[in-house]
Amino acid sequence: MITLYTAPMSGNGRKVHMLLEEVGASYQLSKLDLQKGEQKTPDYLRLNPNGKVPTLVDDDFVLWESNAILLYLIEKFSAQSLLPTGLHDRAHVFQWLLFEQTTFRPPLSLLVRQTRFTPPDKQDIAAIAQAQSEVQSNMGILQEALSGREYLGGTFSAADIAVLPYVYLARDLGTDLSPWPQVEAYWQRLSVRPSWQKIIAWKG
Ligand SMILES: N[C@@H](CCC(=O)N[C@@H](CS)C(=O)NCC(=O)O)C(=O)O
């Protein structure tokens, strides 16, 4: 049995949850309340010493780091369409998986921490401005990448599943996508997928 330890608002959790839906896996969810620190309990830290969600438990196999979990599930369920086999197409999917973790997600996470969980008088205005500027720049990168193609890897792939929760988060934080029409169209295209509709409705 596959168990996904996650939290409803977690972008990293959402991507794994979405992939489980895309591949038609049978799985159960174990919800953690991040505000209560349930990701730092000794029992959970035994599964994931990083104290974060998501963590996947597949019988006695334990895996953490969301994009590693995506790649594991693609192999386990032979979902080849989500990871192209051509050398260059596959390399591009890896590129976007790394871009998402190292560049796209961090300023959005900072904005969540600063604007939703920090009292106004303690907010770091300079850090917020820097993060907003990085979000704009990253949207420009996506806009360029999506010119002439519907999906980051050419066809729908793990790259889109990794990036989608953070396009959602950018919009949720108030980013107007209209300056980047390719990104707006990409959002419209991806967000109607039944897998996304199902997981975004999950509140635990
Ligand atoms: N690189 C990790 C990042 C995981 C991560 O930062 N998860 C967040 C939720 S999206 C979390 O658990 N935050 C709670 C905490 O850091 O205590 C991954 O991709 O799985």
Side-chain angles (χ1 to χ4, degrees), residues 144-161:
E144 181 70 24
L146 290 164
S147 296
R149 53 174 50 201
E150 294 194 335
Y151 300 101
L152 289 170
T155 54
F156 177 69
S157 75
D160 306 301
I161 292 175

Side-chain angles (χ1 to χ4, degrees), residues 7 9-13 15 34 39-40 48 50-54 64-67 69 100-101 105 109 166:
M9 302 300 282
S10 161
N12 287 308
K15 64 174 88 144
L34 301 183
Q39 73 281 24
K40 310 292 184 199
N48 182 342
N50 205 20
K52 296 179 188 295
V53 293
W64 42 274
E65 278 300 327
S66 56
N67 289 350
I69 301 172
E100 176 267 304
Q101 282 286 292
R105 171 185 176 251
S109 297
Y166 295 105

